[in-house]
Amino acid sequence: MTKSPIIIATAQSFVSKDVRENGVEIRKLMTQAHKQGARLVNFPEGAMSGYVDKKAQILDWADVDWAALREELELTCKLAKELKVWVALGCNHQLTAPNKPHNSIYIISDEGNIHTRYDKQWCSNNETLNWYTPGNGLTIFEVDGWRFGCAICIEIQFPELFMSYAAEQIDCLLYSVYRDDTMFGIQAQAYAACNNFWFSLSSAQQASSSLPSKMIGPSGQIQTSCESNKSTLCISRLDMSDENYHVALNHARPWRAIARQPDFY
């Protein structure tokens, strides 16, 4: 199916321990993205809630103001409706006690509701023991005919997740991360090239010296990138007719799907 081009904003927001500050930061970047024509804004891991452990913002779940977090989410949903933009928002998701929260991405629609949610499936040993309840299953949604999937941080180490999304024929993977690790960016380029989909990598400002936010094209080449150590956006036009990705989209992608059929050879 022919799709009209779509504009995506990949955010590089500063993540604070104060959810009120995070809400202001997020809505500021949403407004900037809207002014540049974006239909969807991808935010980092923990962008609204903050991230966990001594290296980040949250040291104990008892310290989290969940009521304030819900209010900030409501304000963000309201703005998404006003601007008519979709938002992929990294945020902790509270579960009933004694269950630990999920590490999630809320998908907020341009109608101002939480359309769906992705819960991080593969967590680190520390996260699993001390912080999070792992999720289960893929999250796929559509905007203007474009199919999007979601992944979070250390899941970059699990290629089966990205192969599963490729099998579902997504067009773009929305990846949210809080990790200052150059290798994560290299792996993201590899997954984009292997699976021939766009890969939006949204990193926190604090982690951007080695891992700036970027959009990677379906050939594995970096299409746009944020300046490190700034609260900012990179704006990308996803276009199925872009000659830079003709081979990746029209030759490599369909051929690899055929070659993966178990009885082909």
Side-chain angles (χ1 to χ4, degrees):
M1 182 181 72
T2 302
K3 300 176 176 71
S4 297
I6 188 171
I7 296 176
I8 306 297
T10 305
Q12 185 173 280
S13 60
F14 182 81
V15 181
S16 163
K17 65 180 179 180
D18 185 336
V19 298
R20 301 293 190 189
E21 290 182 11
N22 291 339
V24 170
E25 169 88 344
I26 286 161
R27 291 188 290 276
K28 176 194 74 175
L29 291 172
M30 285 170 60
T31 301
Q32 291 177 10
H34 167 69
K35 289 178 179 178
Q36 297 182 73
R39 282 287 287 139
L40 183 150
V41 192
N42 183 29
F43 282 95
E45 180 180 22
M48 179 66 83
S49 59
Y51 188 53
V52 300
D53 83 22
K54 61 185 179 181
K55 296 180 290 184
Q57 293 79 36
I58 300 170
L59 302 179
D60 192 305
W61 287 126
D63 297 334
V64 176
D65 188 340
W66 293 103
L69 182 58
R70 287 189 292 271
E71 290 174 5
E72 290 302 316
L73 283 170
E74 289 174 4
L75 289 170
T76 303
C77 288
K78 181 180 178 181
L79 182 61
K81 183 176 182 179
E82 291 175 6
L83 299 179
K84 289 298 178 185
V85 298
W86 287 70
V87 180
L89 182 60
C91 188
N92 295 319
H93 177 76
Q94 187 180 29
L95 298 177
T96 54
N99 299 295
K100 298 187 290 290
H102 286 312
N103 185 348
S104 302
I105 299 173
Y106 288 115
I107 304 303
I108 302 170
S109 79
D110 61 358
E111 296 180 349
N113 55 55
I114 296 177
H115 176 74
T116 188
R117 191 183 77 237
Y118 177 70
D119 302 322
K120 187 177 182 180
Q121 301 176 66
W122 283 282
C123 300
S124 70
N125 183 56
N126 177 41
E127 287 176 324
T128 303
L129 290 176
N130 301 310
W131 292 105
Y132 288 120
T133 298
N136 184 40
L138 306 180
T139 291
I140 298 170
F141 66 100
E142 292 193 11
V143 179
D144 302 342
W146 289 77
R147 288 171 63 80
F148 296 89
C150 302
I152 300 174
C153 198
I154 201 172
E155 290 185 319
I156 201 79
Q157 309 294 356
F158 295 87
E160 56 267 44
L161 176 61
F162 303 96
M163 291 176 68
S164 295
Y165 276 124
E168 294 295 328
Q169 300 183 333
I170 68 162
D171 300 302
C172 181
L173 194 288
L174 303 175
Y175 178 61
S176 298
V177 59
Y178 192 120
R179 182 72 175 265
D180 195 353
D181 191 329
T182 303
M183 185 54 67
F184 280 36
I186 294 170
Q187 289 172 282
Q189 286 185 254
Y191 290 136
C194 289
N195 296 299
N196 304 124
F197 48 52
W198 276 270
F199 200 114
S200 172
L201 186 158
S202 179
S203 179
Q205 178 184 330
Q206 294 98 310
S208 65
S209 60
S210 297
L211 189 64
S213 295
K214 66 195 71 178
M215 176 67 78
I216 303 164
S219 65
Q221 296 174 328
I222 296 173
Q223 181 170 327
T224 57
S225 183
C226 288
E227 181 181 344
S228 296
N229 302 312
K230 280 185 64 176
S231 171
T232 188
L233 303 162
C234 58
I235 305 295
S236 309
R237 187 175 189 265
L238 279 56
D239 186 349
M240 288 291 184
S241 65
D242 189 332
E243 282 299 316
N244 292 312
Y245 307 127
H246 174 73
V247 172
L249 293 174
N250 299 305
H251 296 288
R253 181 167 172 161
W255 165 249
R256 291 172 192 176
I258 293 169
R260 286 189 172 105
Q261 297 302 311
D263 60 349
F264 178 74
Y265 288 105

